[in-house]
Amino acid sequence: MALGQSLQQKLLQKLSPQQIQLMKLLQVPTANLEERIKEEMEENPALELDEGKHSDDGELKDEFTDGSDSLDDSEHGQEDYDTIDVSDYVHEGDDDIADYKTREDHYGDDENRQLPIKTETSFYDTLENQLGLLSLSDKEHQIAQHIIGSIDEDGYLRRDTPALVDDLAFRQNIETTVEEVESIIQKIQQFDPPGVGARDLTECLLLQLRRQKLEGKDVDKAILAIEKYFDEFTKKHYEKIQRGLGLTEEELKDVMQQIVKLNPKPGGNIGAVNKAESYVVPDFFILNNNGKLELTLNSRNAPELRISEGYRDMMKEYDRGSKKDKQQKEAVLFIKQKIDAAKWFIDAIRQRQHTLLDTMSAIMDHQEEFFLTGDETTLRPMILKDIAEKTNLDISTVSRVANSKFVQTEFGTYRLKFFFSESLSTDSGEEVSTREVKKILTDLIENESKKHPYSDEKLTELLQEKGYNIARRTVAKYREQLNIPVARLRKELV
């Protein structure tokens, strides 16, 4: 649902430096906001935390938008700064270049930032640790390290052996042979997780099956099936495998069960643990309070900010002084720029919170039925323009909020763009969300006979029977978007 990158760049070119910084601050997720604020305070000593007002409750109530926000300038003596006469020191144009205009932009790629992932031991660390258990010469150890470094995150060695020999010769000045490198590859293929260091999927599965055979398991038929009929296996032509190996139907089921339990991405084993430890910091919380939805904004990473009292005092001292020389002018100009930048940043944080609440409130109202029931089929068609019109915000602003924020509900945590979808007409002329159609399509496929899965033509008929005007090519498109394979590849032995 995001605007095209080129269109966003054109829009940014029309904005002032302050507006660009505000837009980029808006798209910073709550998980990264604390770091962003710390960086701002490190660069601008005129900005500081209001320790007396900081709270760790993690939620900012929707009432924040009623005008009684905690960032009111008067509470921090802001009017003291505004009434100081600096005309003797600063003339028009002197402070045109403020900090927020000249600061290096570290946030240009916020939309592509990854959420923080907690990682204990990486996949490569695991392989390196096992390498230390082998009895190798210095040269062999260097070769082994190079091989491990060539293994991708899925656990595969994508470089062929002659290429590795050339790499070692040209990059590390190590003379070796294909036979020596192949010997070390075979040792690494004995590492955990089973299947690591394979050159392709066939070798990966065979490595795992042969490890099971060494452990005493009866996998000979499964090994034969992969060695002789791997292409038939991937295309689920089970009858050919059954005839070729002379298996009964029960034996075929056992062989297929042995194979499908193998891990096609052994490197992902370690990654899966880390992904399980990954966490999402929700930007919003929606609670169903006896049928009334309550929205709160997570403010755990948005501390209360104020302008430094020390900087305000320095400005007042200069104002009371009688000497108005060039050195004092430079000092006042520096202080004024820092205070202006701090004022702007405090206001930007406030605008960010208001914009987030306005946008999420409009989404909550539009998708009220879903937030009350958790039923995806109740989701209404909704595009960026709908929310932009409700909030009087620019579509690009809504896009930035939707692409980088999460909301926690009693039914789970969702990315905001989950709630956006196009519309589709029913027989009665009613406009329904394409997400509703996808949910019904998913349910149909989940409940189909795995021995005789529905074709796209049959799925189209079933949807049309339910009143959805949909073409077969549209069904195929939705199925692909849901990462659901064609009927032939969904077939299972039952």
Side-chain angles (χ1 to χ4, degrees):
M1 303 300 296
L3 295 176
Q5 187 175 2
S6 59
L7 179 56
Q8 288 200 34
Q9 289 173 345
K10 290 179 181 177
L11 288 171
L12 289 176
Q13 289 172 359
K14 298 179 180 179
L15 300 176
S16 68
Q18 299 99 314
Q19 290 172 317
I20 292 174
Q21 288 293 334
L22 179 57
M23 291 290 281
K24 291 178 179 178
L25 183 63
L26 179 64
Q27 70 190 26
V28 176
T30 299
N32 303 109
L33 187 58
E34 184 178 30
E35 178 186 351
R36 174 70 179 90
I37 291 173
K38 283 180 179 178
E39 288 181 1
E40 189 72 22
M41 289 192 295
E42 288 173 0
E43 294 179 5
N44 188 354
L47 183 69
E48 65 180 19
L49 282 176
D50 187 352
E51 300 290 353
K53 302 197 68 173
H54 181 49
S55 172
D56 293 320
D57 61 3
E59 294 181 2
L60 186 64
K61 294 293 183 181
D62 197 10
E63 287 78 12
F64 183 82
T65 59
D66 65 5
S68 60
D69 50 76
S70 59
L71 292 173
D72 182 41
D73 291 338
S74 62
E75 292 190 20
H76 303 300
Q78 187 59 48
E79 74 286 354
D80 292 342
Y81 166 71
D82 291 334
T83 58
I84 294 174
D85 182 12
V86 297
S87 59
D88 289 336
Y89 302 95
V90 182
H91 302 288
E92 186 175 355
D94 281 348
D95 59 343
D96 279 349
I97 303 178
D99 279 4
Y100 54 76
K101 295 182 183 180
T102 58
R103 184 181 304 117
E104 183 179 355
D105 178 14
H106 297 289
Y107 292 89
D109 296 323
D110 279 324
E111 290 179 359
N112 297 322
R113 282 188 163 208
Q114 298 296 315
L115 290 167
I117 296 181
K118 177 183 174 185
T119 305
E120 298 298 334
T121 303
S122 73
F123 170 56
Y124 296 102
D125 288 339
T126 301
L127 298 180
E128 286 276 3
N129 292 338
Q130 295 177 82
L131 181 59
L133 302 176
L134 296 180
S135 178
L136 300 173
S137 65
D138 290 343
K139 176 185 174 183
E140 289 172 332
H141 192 271
Q142 287 180 292
I143 295 172
Q145 282 187 315
H146 183 80
I147 293 170
I148 288 175
S150 301
I151 294 175
D152 67 19
E153 60 184 13
D154 290 332
Y156 286 86
L157 180 60
R158 304 294 185 182
R159 300 279 288 168
D160 58 33
T161 308
L164 289 171
V165 172
D166 292 340
D167 289 344
L168 287 161
F170 291 116
R171 295 182 183 180
Q172 300 191 36
N173 199 27
I174 297 175
E175 294 294 332
T176 183
T177 63
V178 168
E179 291 74 22
E180 185 176 22
V181 172
E182 189 64 35
S183 173
I184 296 174
I185 290 174
Q186 290 175 12
K187 291 179 180 179
I188 292 173
Q189 288 178 343
Q190 304 307 310
F191 288 179
D192 286 324
V196 70
R199 270 61 72 92
D200 53 38
L201 179 58
T202 304
E203 186 177 24
C204 178
L205 299 180
L206 287 172
L207 285 171
Q208 294 177 60
L209 288 169
R210 287 166 183 158
R211 180 83 62 91
Q212 291 181 13
K213 184 176 180 179
L214 290 174
E215 294 170 355
K217 295 182 181 178
D218 183 11
V219 292
D220 288 339
K221 292 185 177 65
I223 291 174
L224 281 174
I226 295 298
E227 287 178 337
K228 295 185 176 182
Y229 300 100
F230 180 74
D231 190 50
E232 287 77 4
F233 167 73
T234 59
K235 295 178 180 178
K236 295 199 173 185
H237 292 161
Y238 299 127
E239 298 82 0
K240 292 183 180 179
I241 299 174
Q242 184 177 4
R243 288 196 303 270
L245 296 179
L247 304 174
T248 65
E249 189 166 332
E250 196 61 36
E251 286 174 332
L252 179 64
K253 288 181 183 179
D254 290 341
V255 167
M256 293 302 106
Q257 280 297 314
Q258 289 174 341
I259 295 174
V260 298
K261 288 180 180 179
L262 302 175
N263 186 0
K265 295 182 178 181
N269 248 359
I270 308 299
V273 174
N274 293 334
K275 287 175 184 177
E277 294 174 343
S278 67
Y279 57 91
V280 170
V281 178
D283 302 272
F284 310 93
F285 304 91
I286 292 181
L287 176 66
N288 181 354
N289 187 1
N290 295 322
K292 182 179 179 181
L293 296 175
E294 295 181 354
L295 170 65
T296 53
L297 175 66
N298 187 342
S299 64
R300 182 166 65 86
N301 291 321
E304 302 293 346
L305 301 170
R306 69 179 183 185
I307 293 173
S308 165
E309 292 182 6
Y311 266 66
R312 291 202 308 272
D313 292 342
M314 280 192 288
M315 182 63 80
K316 283 187 270 187
E317 284 295 323
Y318 279 115
D319 184 57
R320 287 193 291 265
S322 58
K323 190 177 180 181
K324 315 285 186 179
D325 58 19
K326 181 180 178 182
Q327 187 176 3
Q328 282 193 332
K329 175 183 175 180
E330 291 176 351
V332 171
L333 178 58
F334 174 81
I335 293 171
K336 183 178 184 297
Q337 286 183 337
K338 292 298 182 184
I339 292 178
D340 282 346
K343 284 176 60 181
W344 175 86
F345 190 78
I346 290 171
D347 188 58
I349 290 291
R350 176 170 54 210
Q351 290 185 53
R352 177 184 184 275
Q353 292 171 341
H354 286 167
T355 302
L356 292 180
L357 279 171
D358 287 348
T359 304
M360 188 64 238
S361 180
I363 294 173
M364 183 179 72
D365 291 343
H366 196 95
Q367 304 292 8
E368 181 180 14
E369 191 65 25
F370 170 82
F371 289 113
L372 288 171
T373 65
D375 184 359
E376 289 186 29
T377 62
T378 64
L379 285 170
R380 297 170 56 197
M382 185 177 77
I383 58 177
L384 292 172
K385 184 180 178 183
D386 295 329
I387 302 304
E389 289 176 349
K390 287 187 176 184
T391 58
N392 292 320
L393 294 170
D394 191 89
I395 288 179
S396 65
T397 302
V398 177
S399 174
R400 288 170 185 273
V401 175
N403 278 327
S404 59
K405 305 295 183 294
F406 291 81
V407 58
Q408 180 176 306
T409 74
E410 59 184 294
F411 313 108
T413 300
Y414 300 88
R415 191 184 289 272
L416 261 59
K417 67 179 181 180
F418 168 83
F419 302 105
F420 291 83
S421 64
E422 301 289 342
S423 62
L424 187 75
S425 297
T426 63
D427 285 341
S428 61
E430 180 187 1
E431 295 286 314
V432 298
S433 167
T434 54
R435 191 170 292 281
E436 173 183 334
V437 180
K438 289 180 181 179
K439 178 64 170 65
I440 295 173
L441 178 62
T442 301
D443 291 341
L444 288 172
I445 292 174
E446 285 180 352
N447 295 319
E448 69 186 357
S449 166
K450 298 308 176 186
K451 197 166 186 178
H452 302 288
Y454 295 135
S455 64
D456 287 346
E457 288 80 6
K458 182 62 177 177
L459 289 169
T460 303
E461 291 177 13
L462 293 172
L463 285 168
Q464 289 175 347
E465 288 174 8
K466 292 180 179 291
Y468 298 100
N469 291 322
I470 191 167
R472 189 203 64 79
R473 63 179 179 277
T474 307
V475 170
K477 181 179 76 172
Y478 289 172
R479 177 179 51 72
E480 290 170 0
Q481 290 175 350
L482 293 165
N483 293 319
I484 298 174
V486 296
R488 176 172 52 79
L489 296 180
R490 299 199 307 271
K491 186 177 181 182
E492 296 178 6
L493 292 171
V494 292

